[in-house]
C-alpha cells in the first residue's frame, strides 16, 4: 500500500495532492502539461523534497519533513519506467536489466540469472547480448520494462512509458504492459497524456490540474462524468456549466438549454457531438424547439471518418457530422450555423 500526501512548492507550481494505491492496483495520473503529474513522480522517488505531508510505502515512512525523515532515492524500493527508455548505450540488454540488482549488491551470476528470467517473461530471450543502438523502440521499451521489474519493487512508477512509440508498436507494448501490471504485486502509478493508455491500463484515475486533484474515479466514472474541460476534451464531449431551475439550465457565459429531468442549482451538462444537429437555416416544423440556437463557425476538423464543427454561440458547442456535410453545408465558408440538441441527449450532474 502506498499512502501519499505531497505538499511542495516550485517556482511555477504549488503541488498539493493526496492519494493511496493498493498493492496490485494501477493508478493513472492525467492532466495537462505543467499540472504536476511528473512532479508527483519526482517527489515519490525522493528527487524533490516535500515541504509538508508524507510518503508511506508498506508501512515504512519514506519521507516526512515534520519528523525529519527522508530515505534517499537509491534506498527506496521503487522501479521506474520513462518514455525515452534511458538505457545505457554501452551495455547489453542483459547488463542493462541486471544493473539495478548489481547496484544493490547482488553478485554477478545471480543478477544475470534474474535478468534472464525477467527478460524471458517479456519475450526478450534473443536480445540478451544486443545493445540499445541495434534495437527497435519497442524492444528498448521492453528492456526498460524488464529493468524496472527485475528488482521486485514495492512501487512501480511509469512516466509516459508508451509516448515515444509509433502507433503499431504502441499497441503491442500496451498489451504486454497490461499483462505485466495485472500480475504485479507492487503499487503502480502511471503518468500519461493518453486517455486510451489510462483506460486500458489503470484501475483508477486521478486528474491533476494546477497542482491539485480535480477528479478521481474508475476510468468509466471519469469518462462518463468529466468535471473539467481537460477531461471533456480527452473524452471528446461538450461540457457546459450552468445553474438549473426545473428543466431549464442557464449556461455560464450565456445561453439556455432545456433538459429532460428537472433539477435545482449548479450543474454540469455533457452533450456528445454526435447528438448535435446543425443546419444553415433555422429548423422548422413540429420538433422540439427549446434547444435551437445560432452560432458562428470557428473550426472544422477531420477526426477519422467524421468531421467536427465548432460554433461560437450561446452556448458554444461542437457538432459531429459526416464528411459529405462539409460540402452540403459549405462549412469551410464559415458564417452562421444553427445547432439543435434534444433534451434527452443532455446528461446533467452536480459539479
Amino acid at each position: 500500500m502506498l499512502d501519499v500526501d505531497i505538499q511542495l512548492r516550485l517556482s511555477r507550481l504549488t503541488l498539493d495532492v493526496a492519494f493511496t494505491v493498493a498493492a496490485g492496483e494501477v493508478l493513472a495520473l492525467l492532466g495537462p502539461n505543467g499540472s504536476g503529474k511528473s512532479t508527483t513522480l519526482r517527489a515519490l522517488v525522493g528527487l524533490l523534497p516535500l515541504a509538508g505531508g508524507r510518503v508511506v510505502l508498506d508501512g515504512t515512512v519514506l519521507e516526512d519533513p515534520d519528523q525529519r525523515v527522508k530515505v534517499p532515492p537509491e534506498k527506496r524500493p521503487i522501479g521506474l519506467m520513462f518514455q525515452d527508455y534511458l538505457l545505457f548505450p554501452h551495455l547489453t540488454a542483459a547488463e542493462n536489466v541486471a544493473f539495478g540488482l548489481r547496484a544493490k549488491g547482488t553478485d554477478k551470476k545471480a543478477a544475470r540469472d534474474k535478468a534472464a528470467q525477467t527478460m524471458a517473461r517479456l519475450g526478450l530471450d534473443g536480445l540478451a547480448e544486443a545493445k540499445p543502438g541495434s534495437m527497435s523502440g519497442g524492444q528498448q521499451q521492453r528492456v526498460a520494462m524488464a529493468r524496472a521489474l527485475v528488482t521486485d519493487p514495492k512501487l512501480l512508477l511509469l512516466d509516459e512509458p508508451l509516448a515515444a512509440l509509433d502507433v503499431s508498436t504502441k499497441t503491442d507494448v500496451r498489451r504486454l504492459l497490461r499483462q505485466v501490471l495485472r500480475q504485479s504485486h507492487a503499487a503502480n502509478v502511471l503518468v500519461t497524456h493518453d486517455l486510451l493508455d489510462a483506460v486500458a491500463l489503470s484501475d483508477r484515475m486521478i486528474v491533476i490540474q494546477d497542482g491539485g486533484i480535480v477528479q478521481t474515479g474508475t476510468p468509466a466514472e471519469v469518462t462518463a462524468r468529466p468535471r473539467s474541460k481537460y477531461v471533456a476534451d480527452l473524452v471528446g464531449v461538450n461540457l457546459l456549466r450552468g445553474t438549473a431551475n426545473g428543466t431549464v439550465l442557464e449556461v455560464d457565459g450565456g445561453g439556455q438549454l432545456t433538459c429532460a429531468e428537472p433539477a435545482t442549482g449548479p450543474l454540469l451538462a455533457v452533450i456528445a457531438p454526435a447528438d448535435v444537429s446543425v443546419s444553415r437555416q433555422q429548423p422548422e416544423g413540429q420538433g422540439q424547439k427549446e434547444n435551437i440556437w445560432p452560432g458562428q463557425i470557428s473550426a472544422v476538423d477531420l477526426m477519422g471518418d467524421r468531421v467536427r464543427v465548432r460554433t461560437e454561440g450561446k452556448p458554444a458547442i461542437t457538432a459531429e457530422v459526416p464528411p459529405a456535410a462539409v460540402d452540403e453545408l459549405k462549412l469551410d465558408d464559415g458564417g452562421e450555423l444553427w445547432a439543435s440538441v434534444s433534451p434527452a441527449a443532455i446528461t446533467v450532474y452536480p459539479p
Side-chain angles (χ1 to χ4, degrees):
M1 168 75 77
L2 174 68
D3 190 350
V4 170
D5 179 5
I6 295 175
Q7 301 165 29
L8 60 83
R9 295 173 184 81
L10 303 177
S11 59
R12 297 184 179 180
L13 177 73
T14 297
L15 183 66
D16 188 350
V17 296
F19 55 85
T20 61
V21 187
E25 183 182 22
V26 182
L27 176 70
L29 303 183
L30 286 88
N33 289 334
S35 61
K37 306 182 304 300
S38 294
T39 300
T40 299
L41 290 198
R42 289 196 290 272
L44 291 174
V45 173
L47 298 178
L48 291 174
L50 302 186
R54 64 203 311 245
V55 176
V56 182
L57 182 59
D58 271 3
T60 300
V61 178
L62 299 183
E63 188 162 357
D64 186 336
D66 289 343
Q67 300 298 322
R68 296 186 178 180
V69 174
K70 189 177 191 304
V71 176
E74 67 275 14
K75 299 294 184 182
R76 300 188 183 197
I78 295 175
L80 292 165
M81 278 185 66
F82 303 96
Q83 70 179 69
D84 47 3
Y85 323 134
L86 297 181
L87 301 178
F88 295 112
H90 62 291
L91 299 182
T92 66
E95 290 168 341
N96 267 285
V97 175
F99 183 85
L101 293 170
R102 296 286 290 141
K104 291 178 180 295
T106 304
D107 70 71
K108 188 172 183 178
K109 183 179 185 308
R112 286 190 68 88
D113 288 347
K114 183 71 180 292
Q117 294 170 10
T118 306
M119 292 177 70
R121 282 175 54 201
L122 301 181
L124 292 168
D125 316 58
L127 290 175
E129 300 306 314
K131 291 188 177 179
S134 65
M135 301 180 206
S136 68
Q139 290 170 335
Q140 289 185 62
Q141 189 57 295
R142 281 188 288 157
V143 171
M145 196 185 308
R147 182 180 59 186
L149 296 170
V150 74
T151 58
D152 297 320
K154 292 183 178 180
L155 173 60
L156 181 61
L157 304 178
L158 306 102
D159 192 1
E160 300 278 6
L162 306 179
L165 303 176
D166 59 52
V167 175
S168 59
T169 304
K170 180 183 289 190
T171 300
D172 293 336
V173 177
R174 184 191 292 119
R175 186 181 303 113
L176 176 62
L177 183 56
R178 180 172 182 171
Q179 293 172 358
V180 168
L181 292 175
R182 290 292 172 265
Q183 298 167 2
S184 171
H185 299 295
N188 306 282
V189 180
L190 165 71
V191 162
T192 181
H193 284 91
D194 191 320
L195 181 63
L196 179 57
D197 289 347
V199 170
L201 298 173
S202 72
D203 302 299
R204 191 159 48 93
M205 294 163 53
I206 285 178
V207 182
I208 299 177
Q209 287 190 255
D210 299 322
I213 295 174
V214 297
Q215 188 170 2
T216 184
T218 66
E221 291 168 344
V222 172
T223 55
R225 293 193 164 193
R227 298 188 179 279
S228 67
K229 183 179 183 300
Y230 171 77
V231 177
D233 288 345
L234 282 180
V235 177
V237 296
N238 295 287
L239 178 65
L240 303 172
R241 297 176 183 271
T243 303
N245 184 6
T247 59
V248 176
L249 179 69
E250 296 288 345
V251 181
D252 293 354
Q256 193 179 81
L257 293 173
T258 297
C259 305
E261 299 294 330
T264 302
L267 282 183
L268 295 174
V270 164
I271 304 170
D275 290 330
V276 181
S277 299
V278 293
S279 59
R280 279 296 187 178
Q281 303 297 324
Q282 182 174 355
E284 299 178 355
Q286 299 300 315
Q288 179 63 262
K289 291 189 177 181
E290 288 95 334
N291 296 327
I292 298 174
W293 71 99
Q296 294 291 315
I297 297 172
S298 62
V300 179
D301 298 304
L302 180 63
M303 306 285 287
D305 62 349
R306 305 289 287 177
V307 174
R308 292 208 165 180
V309 186
R310 179 73 176 175
T311 63
E312 302 301 327
K314 292 191 175 182
I317 197 128
T318 297
E320 191 173 88
V321 300
V326 176
D327 289 332
E328 292 172 5
L329 297 175
K330 301 188 183 304
L331 297 179
D332 285 335
D333 293 344
E336 186 176 74
L337 195 69
W338 286 81
S340 61
V341 180
S342 166
I346 304 173
T347 300
V348 296
Y349 47 92

